[in-house]
Amino acid sequence: QVQLVESGGGLVQPGGSLRLSCAASGSIFSINTMGWYRQAPGKERDLVTTISSLGTTHYADSVKGRFTISRDNAKHTVYLQMNSLKPEDTAVYYCKAAVKTTYWDILKDYWGQGTQVTVSS
């Protein structure tokens, strides 16, 4: 069993910053790609950014230059630093991790519970 626990969401004014954290725990042999997704009310869940086990990153065009993803492999934790926040960034943010519980297992995706980010004046 693997759990992903997110934290760091909240209410912030436009132009402000937030830092999200997502820690994985449980039976973990290794974690491959981790990422952040977001879902605004009435919208589908969209990819925000991903980071590989070796640190290769990808960003949605809408957040390039403003958001930074990072990870601490020893802590099984992924972070999302969000700067210059805009109202359109308002959404529930979910982390995802591709996890192997043993060497012989296939990778399986696990999702966090989501954390609300609201950008409003």
Side-chain angles (χ1 to χ4, degrees), residues 38-60:
R38 66 187 182 185
Q39 187 167 22
K43 305 296 183 180
E44 64 185 28
R45 188 173 300 183
D46 293 326
L47 175 68
V48 177
T49 178
T50 62
I51 183 168
S52 76
S53 60
L54 295 179
T56 300
T57 59
H58 294 88
Y59 296 92

Side-chain angles (χ1 to χ4, degrees), residues 7-102:
S7 62
L11 175 65
V12 65
Q13 293 185 347
S17 298
L18 285 173
R19 182 175 175 86
L20 307 183
S21 299
C22 174
S25 62
S27 299
I28 298 172
F29 175 79
S30 65
I31 302 178
N32 200 285
T33 301
M34 307 181 81
W36 291 93
Y37 297 71
R38 66 187 182 185
Q39 187 167 22
K43 305 296 183 180
E44 64 185 28
R45 188 173 300 183
D46 293 326
L47 175 68
V48 177
T49 178
T50 62
I51 183 168
S52 76
S53 60
L54 295 179
T56 300
T57 59
H58 294 88
Y59 296 92
D61 288 341
S62 59
V63 306
K64 285 181 179 177
R66 300 187 299 119
F67 291 10
T68 302
I69 188 172
S70 61
R71 65 190 288 171
D72 185 332
N73 291 332
K75 296 181 178 180
H76 299 318
T77 299
V78 63
Y79 306 93
L80 183 63
Q81 178 66 47
M82 303 184 293
N83 299 325
S84 302
L85 283 162
K86 305 174 180 179
E88 50 263 45
D89 296 318
T90 296
V92 177
Y93 283 70
Y94 298 89
C95 67
K96 185 178 76 171
V99 180
K100 296 179 68 175
T101 56
T102 73

